[in-house]
Structures are given as C-alpha cells and as structure tokens.
Amino acid sequence: KYLAQVQQAGVTITDVQWAISSGHLVCKDMARGSNSESEAASVMRDIPGMPHFQALMIVFAAISSYCPEYLGR
C-alpha cells in the first residue's frame, strides 16, 4: 500500500528498501512527537529537489500505511 501511494504521488522509487525504511522512520519520529510538516521537511532534505506537496504525500502514505494512529498530526 505504502509504495503504491508514493508512486501515485508521482515519486519514482529507485531503492525499495530505502523507501520502506524511510516510511517506518516517519512513524518512529511521529511517536517521538514530530508532525507531518517536520517530516516533509526531512524528506525534502533527503531528496533534493523534492516538491513540498510530494514530500507531504510520502509522509501521508507512511502514516496511513504504517502508523494510522498519527493521521491528522
């Protein structure tokens, strides 16, 4: 589900393991009190040139797939 949502956001996945690990890292950060905007900023640092809306879509995909208890944060 996560990878499909990321691809639907227009993001090309070149390293599946990295993408999955990054999705789980979003959840770990959220458990420590992070929020969607902070996580999107982190994604944009990790992937130079990533548009903000795509970074948010990646974060949303991770949360909805791996840790839905953080939806809306």
Side-chain angles (χ1 to χ4, degrees):
K1 179 179 170 182
Y2 168 69
L3 295 176
Q5 287 179 328
V6 170
Q7 291 173 322
Q8 285 174 346
V11 178
T12 300
I13 298 171
T14 56
D15 184 338
V16 171
Q17 287 303 106
W18 181 86
I20 291 170
S21 294
S22 296
H24 287 289
L25 183 58
V26 167
C27 293
K28 288 179 185 176
D29 290 346
M30 296 295 282
R32 291 186 204 119
S34 188
N35 61 51
S36 298
E37 282 296 331
S38 294
E39 292 306 302
S42 179
V43 169
M44 291 187 306
R45 281 191 300 275
D46 290 345
I47 307 172
M50 169 71 59
H52 182 255
F53 80 92
Q54 281 185 325
L56 279 173
M57 292 299 295
I58 290 170
V59 170
F60 175 76
I63 294 170
S64 66
S65 296
Y66 299 136
C67 49
E69 64 271 24
Y70 299 121
L71 284 171
R73 187 193 281 178

